[in-house]
Amino acid sequence: MYDVTSMKAEEFICHEEILESLKYADENKDNIPLIDSIIEKAKLRRGLNHREASVLLACDKPEKIKEIYDLAEQIKKDFYGNRIVMFAPLYLSNYCVNGCVYCPYHAKNRHIPRKKLTMEEVKKEVTALQDMGHKRLAIEAGEDPVNNPIDYILECIDTIYNIKHKNGAIRRVNVNIAATTVENYRKLKEAGIGTYILFQETYHKESYEKLHPTGPKHDYAYHTEAMDRAMEGGIDDVGLGVLFGLELYRYEYCALLMHAEHLEAVHGVGPHTISVPRIKHADDIDPSAFDNSISDEIFCKIAALIRVAVPYTGMIISTRESEEVRKEIIRLGVSQISGGSRTSVGGYCEDERPHDTEQFDVSDQRTLDEVVNWLMREGYIPSFCTACYREGRTGDRFMSLCKSGQILNCCHPNALMTLKEYLMDYAGDDTRAIGEALIEAELKKIPNERVKDICSSNLAKIEQGIRDFRF
Ligand code: SAM
């Protein structure tokens, strides 16, 4: 039976409730008065529930889709302005005991080299990432209690935070590792992580079990209940995600919102981010073997409807997607993107992009500087800000910042100051020229005069070599 506050996976992600919601959505997909009333509700910017949002996803009337896209774009502007937060993934180890059929790191893959970074190698990778200009990482590892135990992950986090090289620093480490225990989540919290990210892959239990035939990840309930354990362990910021292509997208979208509603109902705070990966080619993985792949058009519609349904939740898009798709989906609601990514273990230290241990093919292969330059030409401010969690603005405190409309007096100057650091330390000449002009224009948009003055004086100090200012 469906119960949003239940702690049992099959009750808060209730299969019958999803099927009924999809049926309701099908029955109402041409019901214009209902669709209009849902869009009106969405305009209040307090979100939609899974049933309402599923009706909008089912609707295929071009004029209504246009209205939804316009609203998504407007909500994105209101909550996130024109800032795009930058990050990079760091692959620590591809040892894995699971049998995920879509992932080349699956245990039965005997011909990919298995690699795990030593602390010396972590330092080299992070130094290379700092030299690109990154300040925020998402660490990634396969699940292997012997090769990648929690102590290894903690040691890597500690190493990463302590690397001081030139003006570089990694100021926020997000963690994407397999579902674990409350005790281990507590250790991650104590290690100072930002967001704990875990993709559900699919919410459809039967498919989930088939797609994860062996290894600890086979346990649907343990995986689905991970975010509750993470929050019990003190982690406020959790990141959800679905691997699109595995199951029917309308099922996944509905369940994803039910998961968000569950976290909000039980812990008083929804997910910090939602990621929208799609299956990509990789070593022995052929995406065409998965028959639920979605078109770029549907992909964009999902993104727009995530933006509309959960306005306070950041949305992440990786380099799995091409420049073209990224451009469209950023407009519709994405707030965070990776740039200059390498998805192989030890990949950042190589001159040429290595393919042997890659987790998936990277579509957007531009350098970080090219991505930063492109974003600015598109009218965005690439932000390397990590202030919120360092100022304790996590979980519901971050949400209140969003809700109080103080983002322009806080996130906006932080974005400008961290962009300035990037321009001074890492940018190419062209990027620097565009960036300086952008900062000058954007500074004027800070409403609070005192904040504007402080920001302006900090920008001057950054020119003199001082780093790490924040509101
Ligand atoms: N091993 C961890 C776990 O069990 O959750 C997470 C780390 S894994 C390195 C990161 C994510 O990459 C997975 O959760 C999955 O969604 C995604 N992934 C795996 N294979 C992929 C593929 N072929 N194409 C695109 N994404 C893939």
Side-chain angles (χ1 to χ4, degrees), residues 197 199 239-242 244 256 273-277 306 314-317:
I197 300 165
F199 299 160
L240 305 181
V242 158
F244 285 100
L256 183 66
T273 55
I274 289 179
S275 300
V276 288
I306 290 176
M315 209 189 323
I316 302 180
I317 188 91

Side-chain angles (χ1 to χ4, degrees), residues 65-78 80-84 300-301 303-304 307 315 317 323-337 374-375 378 380:
I65 295 177
K66 163 108 184 33
E67 264 184 63
I68 292 165
Y69 280 24
D70 289 348
L71 180 58
E73 205 177 335
Q74 196 51 51
I75 291 179
K76 154 99 198 268
K77 280 190 189 138
D78 295 347
Y80 302 90
N82 54 348
R83 295 173 310 280
I84 302 289
C300 288
K301 191 173 176 192
R307 183 67 303 127
M315 209 189 323
I317 188 91
E323 171 181 338
E324 203 184 5
V325 170
R326 298 219 302 172
K327 180 176 166 177
E328 181 62 359
I329 202 169
I330 288 172
R331 181 178 74 82
L332 293 171
V334 162
S335 52
Q336 210 178 116
I337 71 168
W374 167 74
L375 283 172
E378 294 289 332
Y380 297 105

Side-chain angles (χ1 to χ4, degrees), residues 195-206:
T195 313
Y196 171 66
I197 300 165
L198 180 69
F199 299 160
Q200 178 63 30
E201 322 297 7
T202 174
Y203 282 99
H204 191 288
K205 182 171 186 252
E206 217 181 298

Side-chain angles (χ1 to χ4, degrees), residues 37-209:
S37 73
I38 298 173
I39 294 178
E40 282 311 307
K41 182 177 171 193
K43 285 184 185 163
L44 301 175
R45 289 152 169 68
R46 286 197 288 274
L48 296 175
N49 66 38
H50 61 275
R51 266 198 193 201
E52 297 160 338
S54 293
V55 173
L56 298 190
L57 185 61
C59 167
D60 50 16
K61 299 238 169 305
E63 66 281 9
K64 292 297 147 197
I65 295 177
K66 163 108 184 33
E67 264 184 63
I68 292 165
Y69 280 24
D70 289 348
L71 180 58
E73 205 177 335
Q74 196 51 51
I75 291 179
K76 154 99 198 268
K77 280 190 189 138
D78 295 347
F79 285 120
Y80 302 90
N82 54 348
R83 295 173 310 280
I84 302 289
V85 170
M86 307 301 301
F87 79 100
L90 171 62
Y91 282 76
L92 300 176
S93 166
N94 64 357
Y95 282 94
C96 194
V97 296
N98 286 314
C100 315
V101 303
Y102 49 81
C103 179
Y105 295 170
H106 65 88
K108 287 203 181 109
N109 189 345
R110 299 258 177 255
H111 65 276
I112 54 160
R114 297 289 166 172
K115 224 168 141 183
K116 165 187 169 180
L117 298 180
T118 62
M119 290 311 128
E120 225 21 70
E121 287 167 331
V122 170
K123 278 186 201 152
K124 283 192 186 143
E125 287 283 285
V126 172
T127 304
L129 282 157
Q130 288 188 5
D131 280 342
M132 289 159 72
H134 278 295
K135 298 282 185 272
R136 174 189 291 242
L137 300 183
I139 56 172
E140 314 272 338
E143 178 166 18
D144 186 328
V146 174
N147 286 298
N148 320 328
I150 193 73
D151 288 340
Y152 169 72
I153 305 290
L154 296 170
E155 198 185 348
C156 289
I157 296 170
D158 187 53
T159 303
I160 294 168
Y161 277 135
N162 282 302
I163 299 167
K164 300 279 173 270
H165 160 72
K166 298 186 183 161
N167 279 338
I170 297 303
R171 299 174 182 155
R172 177 174 180 132
V173 177
N174 296 333
V175 175
N176 184 0
I177 59 164
T180 185
T181 59
V182 175
E183 196 193 338
N184 286 346
Y185 286 125
R186 201 161 281 134
K187 290 180 182 169
L188 288 170
K189 165 79 181 171
E190 280 160 16
I193 69 159
T195 313
Y196 171 66
I197 300 165
L198 180 69
F199 299 160
Q200 178 63 30
E201 322 297 7
T202 174
Y203 282 99
H204 191 288
K205 182 171 186 252
E206 217 181 298
S207 299
Y208 181 95
E209 288 171 349

